[in-house]
Amino acid sequence: MTSNANQYTWAGRFSEPVSDLVKRYTASVDFDQRMWRQDIRGSLAHARMLARQGIITASDLADIERGLGVIHEEIEAGRFVWSLDLEDVHLNIEKRLTALVGDAGKRLHTGRSRNDQVATDIRLYLRDAIDDIQALLKQFRSALVDLAEKEAATPMPGFTHLQVAQPVTFGHHLLAYFEMFSRDAERFADCRKRTARLPLGAAALAGATYPIDRESVAAELGFEAVCENSLDAVSDRDFAIEFCAACSLFMMHISRLSEELVMWMSPRIGFIRIADRFCTGSSIMPQKKNPDVPELARGKTGRVYGHLMSLLTLMKSQPLAYNKDNQEDKEPLFDAVDTVTDTLRIFADMADGITVRADNMAEALTQGFATATDLADYLVKMGLPFRDAHEAVGQAVKAAESRGVDLSGLTLDELKTFSPLIGEDVYAVLTVAGSLAARNHIGGTAPEQVRAAIARARFRL
Ligand code: ARG
């Protein structure tokens, strides 16, 4: 019994071992081993500080560095044996270190607890993940800008309530998404600031009794500052929640874009084609080409929202300081990282694979009286109050609809019956090109403005 219990690093005061079920229930090594690089990096920084401060000897440090180097190679080569008995990534690595270098390995944990160790590892992991996400987000945003540039002047119907509203250019429409994803990048950058703070030194919860130097560890790990309060340092998971909130907003944007891609790809609309490599067929209907990637991205959005809810709920009733509940922070966080990273990889590539069906977009613009507002604006410029202009154009739309033509299909005489102010020059206003060109101010859809917006977007990238 006793010897069995003692296989645990912490088992000194225990008299019976945990059951296999409890062992599995409490272990995290299956999912936290992915933080092994961060665990080693954190341990190296901690050990170097201990040696600098004279808390361990230079020769202990040399042993620790050598041992961790071996472990690094073993894990990378897939030769490292992970053990459920050793609970988590931290104890697995520490135990192996001791097996490799003896007493020096046992000294590594001086002035440290797994509580500040795990908090440090997660922050390092997340900071690296945010950097990867930012790089991918940049690629994706620039792919959107490239497509927007190609289609800067391609007219399509803009919708409100999913009814044809006014002409816009496809480039302008894409730049709306560029703005959303740029705000996402800002949010990730902001979250990174609060992630890059060092918990080490907080030890279990109250701090360490050795002459530690936390600032130097923070500097070595590239953190911006140390966590100010030891209790907060070991129990704070705000950064993970913020990250999942930023991921949720990002996925919400991806989901909106996906919804549009799915609609645009439907043969009933036919605004775009997506390269075959992002679609799949049906096992029964040979004619089908399904937009699986955008559909799945739309679906995965729900799963990321779920992770945000998990983490918020995980933290809501925890008393200070560390509680084992915190071990449950990893799977939601890691899955949010994976989902967002994979989604970005695919979308950056997919943006390149979009072909625009300008003919169908133009065709859609001939239905729905997209230039009705332009006619009203024309009458206002002739001196009619806007509400009267709105009424007159409403009558004109009714007449055109019953005749099955667009507003520009009505003769000048017919148009004049709705307002005597209408003259020959009205046709310039009723065309899609005229409607687009008229919205010529910052943020407007005039192709000239879209090109200027693209130049600004490139500068921001
Ligand atoms: N595996 C644990 C976690 O993920 C590490 C910290 C354990 N600390 C403790 N006192 N049991 O949070």
Side-chain angles (χ1 to χ4, degrees):
M1 280 292 217
T2 317
S3 68
N4 207 356
N6 278 339
Q7 70 192 338
Y8 287 96
T9 315
W10 40 254
R13 68 169 334 268
F14 287 77
S15 52
E16 78 174 345
V18 297
S19 72
D20 281 350
L21 178 58
V22 170
K23 194 195 293 175
R24 254 192 295 123
Y25 197 74
T26 54
S28 54
V29 65
D30 285 346
F31 51 84
D32 67 16
Q33 56 179 268
R34 74 151 82 187
M35 301 192 302
W36 67 269
R37 288 175 197 279
Q38 289 75 18
D39 196 67
I40 290 177
R41 230 193 289 163
S43 287
L44 282 172
H46 178 68
R48 285 173 190 145
M49 181 278 290
L50 291 178
R52 275 195 305 278
Q53 300 297 104
I55 302 166
I56 61 171
T57 64
S59 107
D60 281 338
L61 174 62
D63 285 347
I64 289 171
E65 287 181 325
R66 178 171 52 79
L68 289 174
V70 171
I71 292 171
H72 195 286
E73 277 170 29
E74 287 177 349
I75 301 178
E76 200 147 56
R79 273 187 283 113
F80 190 88
V81 184
W82 297 100
S83 160
L84 201 65
D85 287 332
L86 294 169
E87 208 177 313
D88 56 26
V89 61
H90 323 292
L91 295 180
N92 268 270
I93 291 180
E94 191 188 319
K95 193 83 173 181
R96 177 71 185 135
L97 179 66
T98 302
L100 286 167
V101 306
D103 280 355
K106 297 186 190 164
R107 293 200 176 96
L108 171 61
H109 214 51
T110 311
R112 185 176 78 168
S113 152
R114 272 187 296 156
N115 298 351
D116 57 346
Q117 184 179 1
V118 69
T120 302
D121 290 3
I122 305 171
R123 285 170 183 266
L124 283 171
Y125 182 88
L126 189 57
R127 189 191 63 187
D128 294 349
I130 291 174
D131 292 345
D132 291 346
I133 286 172
Q134 287 288 32
L136 288 165
L137 201 45
K138 194 168 175 165
Q139 267 179 38
F140 175 46
R141 285 156 70 223
S142 81
L144 282 176
V145 174
D146 289 345
L147 188 58
E149 185 154 50
K150 267 197 263 167
E151 311 297 340
T154 308
M156 72 177 273
F159 296 88
T160 58
H161 315 272
L162 213 51
Q163 309 287 320
V164 171
Q166 293 171 353
V168 294
T169 76
F170 189 55
H172 193 55
H173 195 110
L174 291 171
L175 288 183
Y177 285 102
F178 176 81
E179 292 302 321
M180 295 178 224
F181 294 120
S182 299
R183 290 195 295 277
D184 290 327
E186 285 174 26
R187 268 184 285 270
F188 284 122
D190 200 53
C191 170
R192 189 190 192 281
K193 286 185 221 158
R194 281 174 295 280
T195 301
R197 290 183 193 163
L198 179 78
L200 275 181
L205 78 166
T209 56
Y210 306 91
I212 57 171
D213 173 8
R214 300 183 64 208
E215 273 83 6
S216 71
V217 180
E220 170 157 0
L221 291 173
F223 279 137
E224 294 182 11
V226 299
C227 298
E228 283 279 337
N229 178 288
S230 65
L231 293 162
D232 183 48
V234 292
S235 76
D236 168 31
R237 296 293 183 274
D238 291 5
F239 60 94
I241 297 177
E242 276 186 56
F243 174 77
C244 284
C247 288
S248 295
L249 277 162
F250 163 76
M251 289 302 293
M252 180 269 285
H253 294 149
I254 281 286
S255 187
R256 294 186 72 179
L257 175 59
S258 295
E259 173 74 7
E260 298 212 283
L261 293 174
V262 170
M263 284 196 302
W264 293 340
M265 246 192 92
S266 159
R268 293 300 293 267
I269 297 180
F271 283 1
I272 60 164
R273 283 198 198 93
I274 296 182
D276 280 1
R277 63 183 184 279
F278 303 104
C279 304
T280 61
S282 156
S283 55
I284 175 167
M285 298 165 283
Q287 85 283 12
K288 290 293 284 284
K289 187 165 134 185
N290 297 329
D292 285 36
V293 166
E295 287 174 296
L296 269 172
R298 199 172 54 187
K300 284 177 192 286
T301 303
R303 137 193 208 141
V304 173
Y305 292 180
H307 297 328
L308 172 61
M309 281 304 130
S310 297
L311 292 187
L312 282 167
T313 312
L314 177 69
M315 296 310 294
K316 72 177 271 294
S317 308
Q318 280 196 46
L320 289 177
Y322 176 86
N323 303 281
K324 186 79 169 182
D325 313 37
N326 280 342
Q327 184 165 290
E328 287 288 307
D329 63 357
K330 287 168 204 62
E331 286 160 294
L333 182 65
F334 294 161
D335 190 74
V337 168
D338 291 346
T339 305
V340 166
T341 306
D342 286 350
T343 301
L344 270 169
R345 277 202 193 107
I346 294 187
F347 270 67
D349 188 17
M350 197 166 61
D352 270 354
I354 293 178
T355 331
V356 173
R357 307 279 315 268
D359 49 341
N360 286 342
M361 288 182 177
E363 165 71 19
L365 264 170
T366 64
Q367 305 150 12
F369 310 101
T371 57
T373 316
D374 297 271
L375 180 55
D377 289 343
Y378 170 91
L379 291 172
V380 167
K381 284 167 199 158
M382 296 296 191
L384 206 59
F386 183 77
R387 282 293 158 225
D388 294 340
H390 188 284
E391 170 67 20
V393 176
Q395 300 289 334
V397 165
K398 201 167 158 191
E401 192 168 35
S402 70
R403 291 208 22 218
V405 296
D406 192 42
L407 285 173
S408 59
L410 296 172
T411 65
L412 186 56
D413 284 342
E414 283 171 318
L415 282 169
K416 273 183 184 297
T417 63
F418 304 107
S419 168
L421 294 170
I422 295 179
E424 184 65 45
D425 57 349
V426 75
Y427 290 102
V429 160
L430 291 180
T431 62
V432 167
S435 169
L436 289 173
R439 286 164 172 79
N440 194 12
H441 54 77
I442 186 162
T445 193
E448 188 186 327
Q449 290 296 336
V450 174
R451 290 198 184 93
I454 287 165
R456 289 195 300 275
R458 292 219 189 277
F459 182 75
R460 279 154 70 189
L461 283 162

